[in-house]
Amino acid sequence: MSETKSRFVVSADWLQAELGKPDLRVLDASFYLPAQKRYADAEYAAGHIPGAIRFDQDKIADHSTSLPHTIPSPDYFAAEVGKLGISENDRIVVYDGIGLFASPRVWWLFRVMGAKNVFVLDGGLDGWKSEGRPLETTAPSYAPARFTPDFDENRVVTLDTMRDIVSSGAMQIADARSAGRFAATEPEPRAGMRSGHMPGARSLPSGVFANQGRFKSLPELRQTFEDAGIDLSKPVVTSCGSGITAAIITLALESLGHHDNKLYDGSWSEWGSRDDTPVVTGPPTPVKA
C-alpha cells in the first residue's frame, strides 16, 4: 500500500480479489440520516457486496439508554457478532453506501472491542457500484463464531469525563458536525437540542476528510488538522452528533499515527440535550476542504 495512504483503508480492487477467503468478513454498516432519504436495509436487500453481512448500528448497541446507537457492553457485542460468524481474528472490511460516513464508526467499534485487522473500504458501495463490480441480493450465512472481546475502555469518553475535559482543557476537542451546527447558524436535526458547541472545541466537519467518498492522502489529512487548529502532538477527543461521524476523525488521526485519542460516545445527542452542560456559539475556525 502507498505510504501516502491510510493503512486502515483498502481499495475495491484489493477487496474484490480477496472475496471468498475464509478469514474475510465484509460488513455493510450503512446508516443514513432522515435528510439523506436513503434506506440502508432496503439498499442492502437490493444489492450488496458478495458475502457482506448487514451490520445494524442501532441493533448492536446499548438499549438501556435513550441515546442513539451507544456502544454496547463487550459481552453483548461479542455475542451478537459471534452470531453473525465474526471472530476477533478475522480480517474485517467495513463499508457504507456513501464511502466514508458510517463505516469508520464500526471500524472503531471493532477495534475498541479487541479486533486487530479491521479496515474501511475506500469509496464505499456507491464507488463499488459505479465501477460495475459484482453484487448479490441474498444474505450470507456463516457458522457462528466465538468473538473474545478485549475492550479498551480508555478509548471511550463518558459524560462525566467530557465535563472534566471541557473544564480543564486537558484534551483538544474535534467536532465532526457541520460548521452551521457548530456555530448555531443551523438547527440540530434532533428535537430538543441546543445549538452550538463545547467550549474550546474545534470544527472538523466529517466531509473534509474525503473526496467523493474516498479518503484523503496522509499529507492532505495532516493539512486538514493543521487548518482546523489541531496540534497532532497533543491528545484529542472526537465528537459529533451521535457518535458516528466522530469516528471519521478518529480514523484520520490513527492513519497519521496519532494514538492518543478518544471518542465521546454520547456526543451532541447527550451534551446538547442537557441544560447543565456549557454551550457556546459562534463561527468555527475555518477549515480548508
Side-chain angles (χ1 to χ4, degrees), residues 185-254:
T185 57
E186 63 183 60
E188 286 294 313
R190 297 175 179 86
M193 290 187 194
R194 294 173 291 165
S195 296
H197 55 272
M198 300 171 208
R202 297 284 183 168
S203 178
L204 271 164
S206 58
V208 303
F209 294 99
N211 292 315
Q212 296 182 325
R214 300 187 186 281
F215 210 34
K216 286 183 174 180
S217 68
L218 298 184
E220 289 173 315
L221 294 177
R222 187 175 298 277
Q223 188 64 52
T224 297
F225 282 110
E226 291 178 0
D227 291 342
I230 294 290
D231 185 341
L232 292 172
S233 69
K234 298 178 180 179
V236 177
V237 57
T238 65
S239 182
C240 61
S242 63
I244 293 231
T245 58
I248 300 174
I249 304 179
T250 305
L251 174 61
L253 289 169
E254 291 286 331

Side-chain angles (χ1 to χ4, degrees), residues 55-78 80 105 108-109 113 151 156-158 242 265-266 270:
F55 189 97
D56 189 328
Q57 302 193 49
D58 283 319
K59 289 183 178 177
I60 302 181
D62 179 2
H63 301 293
S64 68
T65 173
S66 61
L67 297 172
H69 34 257
T70 303
I71 188 170
S73 71
D75 287 346
Y76 179 77
F77 177 86
E80 291 303 304
R105 166 72 183 200
W108 171 82
L109 182 59
M113 291 297 181
F151 180 49
V156 186
V157 171
T158 63
S242 63
D265 195 35
E270 183 171 51

Side-chain angles (χ1 to χ4, degrees), residues 15-34:
L15 179 58
Q16 187 169 344
E18 294 296 305
L19 290 179
K21 299 288 180 65
D23 67 332
L24 180 74
R25 293 293 181 267
V26 182
L27 307 184
D28 183 321
S30 298
F31 168 88
Y32 301 109
L33 297 171

Side-chain angles (χ1 to χ4, degrees), residues 266-288:
S267 283
W268 202 254
S269 292
E270 183 171 51
W271 193 272
S273 63
R274 302 179 65 92
D275 58 10
D276 62 349
T277 47
V279 172
V280 294
T281 60
T285 300
V287 178
K288 297 177 182 177

Side-chain angles (χ1 to χ4, degrees), residues 67-96:
L67 297 172
H69 34 257
T70 303
I71 188 170
S73 71
D75 287 346
Y76 179 77
F77 177 86
E80 291 303 304
V81 301
K83 293 175 187 175
L84 297 176
I86 306 167
S87 86
E88 77 279 7
N89 297 316
D90 287 328
R91 291 181 300 158
I92 301 166
V93 177
V94 190
Y95 73 84
D96 61 51

Side-chain angles (χ1 to χ4, degrees), residues 113-131:
M113 291 297 181
K116 305 297 184 186
N117 299 309
V118 195
F119 308 93
V120 172
L121 174 62
D122 211 17
L125 186 62
D126 288 352
W128 184 275
K129 288 179 177 178
S130 72
E131 294 166 358

